[in-house]
Amino acid sequence: MRRRHRHRLLRPLVAFAAVTGIFATATPNADSTPLEGTSVASATTTVFYYTKTKNWPATYLHYAPDGGSWTTVPGVRMETACTDWVKETVDLGSAAGLQATFNNGSGTWDNNGGTNYALGTGTVTVKDGVVAHSDPCADTGTGTGNQATVYYSTATSGWSTANLHYAPTGGSWTTVPGVGMESACTGWWKRTVDLGTATTLEAAFNNGNGVWDNNNGGDYALGSGTTTVKDRTVTAGAADPCAAQAPDTQAPTTPTGVTASATGTSVVVSWKPATDDTAVTKYQLTRTGGTEGTVVTDVGSTVWSDTGLAEKTTYTYTVKAVDAAGNTSPASSAAPVTTGEKAPAPAAGTPLGTDPRKDPIYFVLTARFYDGDTSNDRGGSQDVTSGNAANNDPMFRGDFKGLVGKLDYIKALGFSAVWITPVVLNRSDYDYHGYHGYDFYKVDPRLESAGASYQDLINAAHAKGMKIYQDVVYNHSSRWGAKGLFTPTVYGVRDTQWSWYYDEKNAGFDYDGLTVEPKSGKSYYNGDLWSTAEPSGNTCLNWGKPTGGKSPEGYTLYNCQWPSPTSGMFPKAYYHQCWIGNWEGEDSRSCWLHEDLADFNTENATVQNYLIGAYDKYIDMGVDGFRVDTAVHIPRVTWNRRFLPAIHDRVTQRFGADAAKNFFVFGEVGAFVNDKWNRGSVNHSAQFFTWKERREYSADDEKAAIEQYDYEEQLGTGNQPTSANAFLNGNSYHTPDRSQFSGMNIIDMRMHMNFGDAQNAYNNGKDSDDSVNDATYNVVYVDSHDYGPNKSSTRYSGGTDAWAENMALMWTFRGIPTLYYGSEIEFQKGKQIDCGPTCPLAGTGRAYYGDHLAGGVTASDFGTVASASGEVATTLAQPLVKHLQRLNRIRRAIPALQSGQYSTDGITGSMAFKRRYTSGSTDSFALVTVTGGATYTGIPNGTYTDAVTGDVKTVSGGTLSVAAPGKGNLRVYVLNGPGKIGADGPYLK
């Protein structure tokens, strides 16, 4: 992701009550007389403890008042309070609370997972680790008067306990926080209370820890009998929500808004989502026409790309919606479409479809890598002011032709996957990096040449056994909108001050990034966007009026001169309408990050259809995976509902289930801290995006996003799923459980942030692995086009020895090693990665690399050079290159280093681990130590051979010791291994 000016406007996280408007943040309605004056300090604490799940014969409370001494073990025996509860009242004296643990008097303890319980004053309950404040033995509704049975839903709030605070009409309120409710069924709590002669009651609900639902300050008016309260909706005389549900016989609504549009012999069909009383699980799309007859296809999203159709033929599409019970809606209205002529193009590729963990990744900024065709070079409006023109270094310089010509260089380094920056047509003043998408259905002509289209690049890479991972952006478009979805007609005023920058409006000009606008004869960018008069239909507020500010050049600034989410320039349906305020708040997923990044409303079906249809095109071309930019800025529930299933369905339909399993999707979830959980927020943590949803949310995607955010944040970091998929069972490999995998893998941001030192990266990385669905798929790198370690704005400059050590760790530890272009020669080390158009690119971390690649190179295999001449031969002779080539050859020869699970059990050593991979006839077991010495105990007996030195060790007693190899060196002892791999070099020796 590229953010030219990234201002972090941090503020404290607000209570989720403020986000949803459902819950008060502290106490019940302060204007309600029965609720006033309820905060009364107490010198005692009555502790209730839930015993049903313990089945202890006796329960003891072992405690210490704050600042005081602990009781003598085992503490005081608690007395029976009511069914399943015991209690004990503690005199606190002047203390404000106590530390407590519980036990059965015979050595079995509940100490809150080792942290003890911190309890306050008043009435406190401890139930299965959850602390709340109510009397569970209060009125249970067994009197002879009128009774009210109240069911309360916590499905949206995610509360782990619920209390009913109430007052019968004409009677007194219960003591805050009220009476505890009992769990009735998933998402519902129940309490029956006596009303005496009253027939109604006032009520509010709380979680026992200060979070309230008081009906937005008005309290709830409930009657006798059975009542349900769900999302502030009261249903009197309700049926028991926990009763057995009747079979689902209701069909979804009929899909509407079905449209079909043809481009050549391909058709994109889209429709509006149907609704259902439970949930729509899929759609059945029926195509008729042509010679193929009737074709029915199951689709998981609301868009479908149909390709390979007959020319000049009319087809008709209808859609049905299907729910989980198999109920099917009537067919939609028919959408007819006629195809055109088949456009000549290179044959579409087929993804290689192999396990992505086998393929180390080389990451290139295509426009900055190698210039194969100077005719498509473009400097843009900032060419001179940036200083690029003076260096004869246009921002769009490298291209697909150059990349095709240097694939052998990448293969000679040992890489079998190439991650390229976005390929879609961009539109901004400085868009060479590709993250300012404008036409998502068109490849940027500044990257293509005759005989070197994007399809040609994919095909050329596949012919060499190399994969292409395409960088994709779902979160935002350019500030000029997205062609085919929404593009504004006019942004602002063109006057004599700005004529050098803004061109006169030209309705006949179709921007393509390559063609010069004919009226000005100089611009590639703005010829169809600017005007001297306000256009009819303008929606921007205060159009053309001076803002009162000046540009750096001293020119008058006008309103609507640049995009703004709050100015009315963009429709709410397609774009969000706010600036980001908190990078770890909900608004980071629903607001603009920067003026160059117009934030899509990704919860809108039309936007979803636009993006799914666009990326289907590139899947059909045979790309091998997607690197997902700014993934954290889209809710996980939207990924899991819409985009990830659409990717999987499309790959499956085009290339089969095996190809879909290995189509590699890895997301940029920007967690720029060293914590396992990003500032305690699960929704903004990388590993969170590797999991499926755990519950159903509203059918409306926008509502579902808020519901999910609140639910997961309130569950917190301690209630997230865990996985053993990356870990050995002792010395044994086990089949991973991927049943809850979302479909998205992640860039290992925690290791990246800590790679200033390999030891820190290693320690931090493995600390997070239990919360990732399968960390063996993590993409691991030291620095990138955005940041160096520790969120540095410069390329890594830790020194050659440190680089060698980092590489040794990345190429042997779990995950997929990835290298940013040029790092193999420490290219631009210490240079600022990005300064926008305020300085020449030649002085940044995104400098042009082609000068180091001049000449010819042929790879005979991965990591092996057949021949090289010119400057590229000098590049390939550098010490880190030699190190990298051998690491790649070692990793490629040892399956455990590619796909193996790992363990550190029974091992001494700072960066030492064992890995194993078992599949069919393959059983690969390796012992690795990076830098320091290590001893391995409890390992299988047998013959181990070091892949670096060829040293052979025979283990008969389950123990093997290895001396420290030194910084940048490595030892990899393989059980029944292949022997020494490659020749000694400057580091591996």
Side-chain angles (χ1 to χ4, degrees):
M1 183 182 78
R2 181 243 177 205
R3 300 171 189 149
R4 192 171 64 201
H5 304 293
R6 186 172 180 177
H7 301 293
R8 293 178 57 83
L9 305 177
L10 295 177
R11 64 177 183 236
L13 287 175
V14 297
F16 296 112
V19 177
T20 63
I22 296 176
F23 310 112
T25 57
T27 59
N29 179 13
D31 296 326
S32 176
T33 302
L35 304 188
E36 290 180 349
T38 56
S39 179
V40 179
S42 173
T44 62
T45 296
T46 299
V47 181
F48 287 86
Y49 187 73
Y50 187 66
T51 61
K52 185 175 183 179
T53 52
K54 298 297 183 184
N55 199 28
W56 289 349
T59 305
Y60 290 81
L61 171 65
H62 179 48
Y63 71 91
D66 292 348
S69 301
W70 284 84
T71 55
T72 303
V73 173
V76 295
R77 182 165 182 165
M78 304 181 75
E79 64 183 32
T80 300
C82 58
T83 302
D84 299 329
W85 290 92
V86 294
K87 72 175 182 178
E88 180 67 27
T89 299
V90 176
D91 186 350
L92 298 178
S94 60
L98 67 153
Q99 294 284 311
T101 63
F102 303 88
N103 66 90
N104 68 350
S106 300
T108 301
W109 288 80
D110 172 7
N111 59 7
N112 195 25
T115 60
N116 300 332
Y117 290 96
L119 309 179
T121 58
T123 301
V124 180
T125 63
V126 180
K127 181 178 180 181
D128 296 335
V130 176
V131 177
H133 300 270
S134 64
D135 184 348
C137 300
D139 173 24
T140 57
T142 57
T144 58
N146 296 323
Q147 291 186 332
T149 299
V150 181
Y151 286 89
Y152 182 71
S153 172
T154 57
T156 3
S157 67
W159 290 356
S160 57
T161 187
N163 295 309
L164 170 64
H165 180 50
Y166 72 97
T169 302
S172 301
W173 284 82
T174 54
T175 302
V176 172
V179 296
M181 305 183 77
E182 291 296 321
S183 177
C185 58
T186 303
W188 286 96
W189 298 77
K190 174 185 177 182
R191 188 73 192 217
T192 299
V193 296
D194 289 329
L195 301 180
T197 59
T199 58
T200 58
L201 67 152
E202 288 185 272
F205 303 89
N206 64 86
N207 71 348
N209 288 300
V211 179
W212 287 80
D213 171 10
N214 58 14
N215 196 22
N216 274 353
D219 298 327
Y220 290 96
L222 309 180
S224 58
T226 300
T227 303
T228 62
V229 181
K230 182 177 182 180
D231 296 337
R232 297 202 308 277
T233 298
V234 176
T235 304
D240 182 351
C242 297
Q245 298 297 310
D248 179 8
T249 59
Q250 181 175 330
T253 60
T254 303
T256 60
V258 182
T259 61
S261 59
T263 301
T265 56
S266 296
V267 171
V268 175
V269 186
S270 64
W271 56 93
K272 294 181 180 178
T275 59
D276 187 58
D277 58 332
T278 54
V280 174
T281 57
K282 66 178 180 179
Y283 295 90
Q284 287 181 349
L285 181 142
T286 300
R287 183 188 77 206
T288 57
T291 60
E292 300 91 344
T294 300
V295 178
V296 179
T297 305
D298 287 344
V299 182
S301 61
T302 55
V303 66
W304 181 249
S305 296
D306 213 358
T307 59
L309 301 173
E311 295 182 296
K312 299 179 181 178
T313 302
T314 298
Y315 293 92
T316 300
Y317 296 85
T318 58
V319 184
K320 297 178 181 180
V322 184
D323 66 16
N327 299 306
T328 304
S329 75
S332 68
S333 299
V337 63
T338 302
T339 58
E341 294 182 354
K342 184 176 181 180
T350 300
L352 297 184
T354 54
D355 187 335
R357 295 173 295 181
K358 295 181 178 180
D359 301 299
I361 302 170
Y362 192 74
F363 172 35
V364 302
L365 270 69
T366 308
R368 307 303 299 159
F369 188 63
Y370 191 78
D371 193 1
D373 178 7
T374 58
S375 69
N376 59 10
D377 291 359
R378 294 293 183 271
S381 63
Q382 302 294 311
D383 195 31
V384 174
T385 56
S386 65
N388 289 336
N391 293 328
N392 193 27
D393 183 27
M395 63 174 183
F396 263 96
R397 190 171 178 184
D399 45 40
F400 294 146
K401 187 173 183 179
L403 186 51
V404 168
K406 297 303 176 184
L407 285 174
D408 264 35
Y409 169 75
I410 299 172
K411 185 171 183 177
L413 295 177
F415 293 94
S416 49
V418 185
W419 157 17
I420 60 173
T421 40
V423 305
V424 305
L425 176 61
N426 265 228
R427 183 172 198 145
S428 79
D429 302 322
Y430 220 57
D431 58 4
Y432 63 94
H433 42 69
Y435 298 99
H436 297 161
Y438 171 67
D439 188 345
F440 286 70
Y441 286 77
K442 182 182 179 66
V443 176
D444 201 311
R446 292 169 289 186
L447 299 175
E448 293 195 302
S449 310
S453 66
Y454 185 35
Q455 186 68 70
D456 290 321
L457 168 64
I458 295 168
N459 295 350
H462 288 173
K464 295 181 182 294
M466 301 169 71
K467 296 179 177 180
I468 294 293
Y469 295 150
Q470 178 179 330
D471 212 320
V472 294
V473 184
Y474 287 78
N475 177 65
H476 57 265
S477 72
S478 73
R479 61 181 177 177
W480 314 119
K483 186 177 182 181
L485 178 71
F486 170 78
T487 55
T489 303
V490 171
Y491 273 100
V493 171
R494 175 184 182 267
D495 60 13
T496 55
Q497 298 177 92
W498 293 102
S499 61
W500 67 277
Y501 188 68
Y502 306 139
D503 302 313
E504 183 180 353
K505 180 175 172 61
N506 181 356
F509 176 64
D510 187 19
Y511 167 83
D512 64 8
L514 197 62
T515 304
V516 175
E517 189 277 314
K519 275 193 175 182
S520 70
K522 63 178 181 178
S523 173
Y524 306 99
Y525 297 96
N526 306 316
D528 60 342
L529 295 174
W530 299 89
S531 177
T532 55
E534 183 175 5
S536 60
N538 169 59
T539 59
C540 186
L541 305 175
N542 299 313
W543 187 93
K545 296 180 180 179
T547 65
K550 298 286 186 180
S551 74
E553 300 87 357
Y555 302 151
T556 299
L557 295 175
Y558 297 94
N559 283 298
C560 307
Q561 202 162 13
W562 283 281
S564 166
T566 57
S567 65
M569 294 181 181
F570 291 85
K572 183 178 182 180
Y574 298 156
Y575 285 89
H576 289 133
Q577 306 286 296
C578 52
W579 289 111
I580 188 173
N582 180 359
W583 289 89
E584 278 76 41
E586 197 284 326
D587 61 341
S588 74
R589 310 185 311 165
S590 57
C591 296
W592 288 38
L593 309 177
H594 185 263
E595 66 178 21
D596 283 334
L597 310 177
D599 199 82
F600 282 133
N601 178 7
T602 48
E603 286 62 66
N604 175 274
T606 302
V607 175
Q608 293 168 357
N609 292 343
Y610 175 84
L611 292 167
I612 292 169
Y615 290 126
D616 278 354
K617 168 181 176 175
Y618 305 107
I619 291 172
D620 291 352
M621 294 173 74
V623 296
D624 300 277
F626 287 158
R627 180 268 186 182
V628 182
D629 181 74
T630 48
V632 71
H633 298 296
I634 295 176
R636 185 183 75 180
V637 69
T638 304
W639 284 116
N640 287 351
R641 278 184 173 185
R642 309 300 176 200
F643 298 133
L644 293 172
I647 293 170
H648 183 272
D649 288 353
R650 189 62 180 180
V651 180
T652 301
Q653 187 264 341
R654 293 288 291 155
F655 305 110
D658 286 343
K661 181 181 69 173
N662 289 318
F663 187 89
F664 191 45
V665 179
F666 57 106
E668 179 208 25
V669 182
F672 300 106
V673 295
N674 296 335
D675 306 329
K676 178 175 181 177
W677 297 98
N678 186 33
R679 295 186 174 90
S681 170
V682 295
N683 281 285
H684 298 88
S685 300
Q687 60 270 36
F688 180 73
F689 283 76
T690 65
W691 296 94
K692 288 182 178 179
E693 301 308 324
R694 293 184 281 172
R695 51 157 287 189
E696 288 291 332
Y697 300 100
S698 297
D700 179 84
D701 285 356
E702 187 171 351
K703 292 180 180 178
I706 297 294
E707 290 169 2
Q708 184 223 40
Y709 186 93
D710 290 347
Y711 177 72
E712 294 291 355
E713 288 295 278
Q714 292 189 45
L715 281 180
T717 60
N719 292 300
Q720 295 302 310
T722 58
S723 169
N725 285 339
F727 307 117
L728 293 171
N729 286 336
N731 294 313
S732 299
Y733 179 86
H734 61 94
T735 301
D737 177 7
R738 304 273 283 170
S739 62
Q740 296 305 306
F741 175 51
S742 68
M744 182 183 289
N745 300 286
I746 52 170
I747 294 169
D748 198 320
M749 297 300 294
R750 196 172 181 199
M751 287 194 74
H752 164 47
M753 284 292 102
N754 285 280
F755 250 121
D757 176 77
Q759 183 72 60
N760 283 342
Y762 170 72
N763 291 341
N764 279 273
K766 64 188 179 73
D767 180 52
S768 300
D769 286 351
D770 63 342
S771 61
V772 180
N773 182 269
D774 192 340
T776 65
Y777 288 84
N778 284 12
V779 170
V780 182
Y781 56 63
V782 174
D783 60 0
S784 73
H785 59 321
D786 280 328
Y787 295 105
N790 300 312
K791 207 180 179 184
S792 165
S793 61
T794 61
R795 288 193 71 157
Y796 182 72
S797 57
T800 310
D801 290 353
W803 251 125
E805 183 180 46
N806 287 343
M807 289 178 180
L809 174 61
M810 288 194 291
W811 261 256
T812 55
F813 190 43
R814 59 91 186 121
I816 302 171
T818 301
L819 199 72
Y820 183 39
Y821 81 102
S823 293
E824 62 271 25
I825 61 169
E826 298 178 85
F827 180 60
Q828 299 296 91
K829 62 181 179 181
K831 297 292 182 66
Q832 184 176 358
I833 293 172
D834 176 31
C835 58
T838 62
C839 71
L841 279 166
T844 72
R846 298 175 176 179
Y848 177 64
Y849 192 58
D851 295 339
H852 297 277
L853 302 178
V857 57
T858 302
S860 56
D861 201 351
F862 293 102
T864 304
V865 179
S867 63
S869 60
E871 186 60 32
V872 70
T874 302
T875 300
L876 288 166
Q878 299 306 302
L880 280 180
V881 170
K882 297 296 185 185
H883 182 59
L884 185 62
Q885 289 173 315
R886 195 170 180 209
L887 283 171
N888 269 318
R889 292 176 65 187
I890 290 171
R891 188 179 190 272
R892 192 169 296 277
I894 303 171
L897 301 185
Q898 303 167 30
S899 308
Q901 296 161 342
Y902 78 96
S903 174
T904 58
D905 293 343
I907 302 173
T908 61
S910 56
M911 283 188 285
F913 45 90
K914 54 188 175 183
R915 298 190 66 185
R916 191 170 207 154
Y917 178 71
T918 306
S919 178
S921 61
T922 299
D923 184 19
S924 177
F925 184 72
L927 307 175
V928 179
T929 183
V930 179
T931 307
T935 298
Y936 306 83
T937 60
I939 60 173
N941 292 331
T943 301
Y944 291 78
T945 306
D946 180 20
V948 177
T949 64
D951 179 52
V952 177
K953 292 182 182 294
T954 300
V955 175
S956 58
T959 298
L960 185 150
S961 294
V962 182
K967 192 165 189 174
N969 208 343
L970 180 71
R971 294 292 179 261
V972 184
Y973 281 87
V974 184
L975 181 61
N976 302 319
K980 183 175 181 178
I981 300 170
D984 288 354
Y987 289 103
L988 295 178
K989 55 187 177 181

